[in-house]
Amino acid sequence: MQMAQALGPNPKTTLYVGGLEENVTEAILHAAFIPFGDIKDVTTPLDQSTQKHRGFGFVTYLEKEDATAAMDNMHNAELYGRVLTVNYAQPIRIKGGEQGWASQPLWADADTWFERQQQEAEIQRLQAEQLASARAAEEEQRKKAMQEKAGETEETEAEDPMAKAEAELNGNS
């Protein structure tokens, strides 16, 4: 027991049972595995076209120690003339998610996708505001420069006595 604890606890309680003969039912599978502990669930996935099990099943125990005992004793055992393969079951893989295959349904990451879409929209909105502010500041600066340039021209004309005299002569004539 100390050796098992040194390796760390094994949290798995569901076993994959492969190599089932087609006449094996869930009740027979339950009866074959009950000697090792309390069983929570027994399932044999059906083939959709034939409605018969696909040659494998899953046995879920309440305690991980029971699952370990069943795996140790039933792996390579014979049931209805067929040799069984008994291993810890792998997590169900469902196509979808961001990485292609996932242990969760496709819609499980919908909230994070929606949040990312909102964040991207907010970033685009802020960038557009920043661009508009920059353009407005440039336009304001350009107008100010033009006003200063126009003011210098008026001052130059006002201070130039020749231009003033010519303006008066043209005005009097």
Side-chain angles (χ1 to χ4, degrees):
M1 186 70 179
Q2 288 180 347
M3 211 173 188
Q5 288 176 343
L7 296 173
N10 191 339
K12 297 187 177 186
T13 57
T14 302
L15 299 176
Y16 163 83
V17 182
L20 297 177
E21 203 268 333
E22 71 177 37
N23 292 324
V24 174
T25 63
E26 289 181 358
I28 294 170
L29 198 57
H30 186 277
F33 281 81
I34 194 69
F36 305 104
D38 294 330
I39 294 176
K40 180 179 178 182
D41 188 34
V42 175
T43 58
T44 52
L46 298 178
D47 183 339
Q48 295 297 324
S49 59
T50 64
Q51 292 301 309
K52 293 183 178 181
H53 70 73
R54 297 163 45 188
F56 65 91
F58 298 96
V59 179
T60 304
Y61 283 92
L62 293 174
E63 301 292 328
K64 58 188 170 193
E65 293 81 12
D66 296 341
T68 303
M71 185 176 68
D72 292 342
N73 287 290
M74 294 299 286
H75 183 64
N76 291 327
E78 192 173 309
L79 182 66
Y80 276 62
R82 306 271 301 265
V83 176
L84 300 178
T85 301
V86 182
N87 295 309
Y88 289 113
Q90 298 295 316
I92 296 173
R93 297 283 184 207
I94 299 172
K95 187 167 183 159
E98 294 180 345
Q99 287 78 34
W101 288 95
S103 298
Q104 60 190 15
L106 176 62
W107 56 87
D109 62 356
D111 289 338
T112 57
W113 178 86
F114 185 69
E115 287 171 4
R116 276 196 318 275
Q117 296 301 315
Q118 286 181 321
Q119 289 171 350
E120 289 174 11
E122 182 68 14
I123 289 170
Q124 289 177 350
R125 186 185 66 78
L126 291 172
Q127 287 174 340
E129 283 180 9
Q130 186 179 17
L131 183 61
S133 297
R135 286 185 178 160
E138 286 176 7
E139 182 67 23
E140 187 67 31
Q141 196 173 25
R142 188 177 60 77
K143 284 180 182 178
K144 189 175 180 181
M146 288 182 70
Q147 286 175 349
E148 287 177 4
K149 189 175 181 181
E152 287 176 9
T153 307
E154 289 175 10
E155 288 176 16
T156 307
E157 289 177 2
E159 294 176 8
D160 185 12
M162 288 296 283
K164 195 174 185 180
E166 285 179 13
E168 287 177 11
L169 277 175
N170 289 336
N172 290 337
S173 357

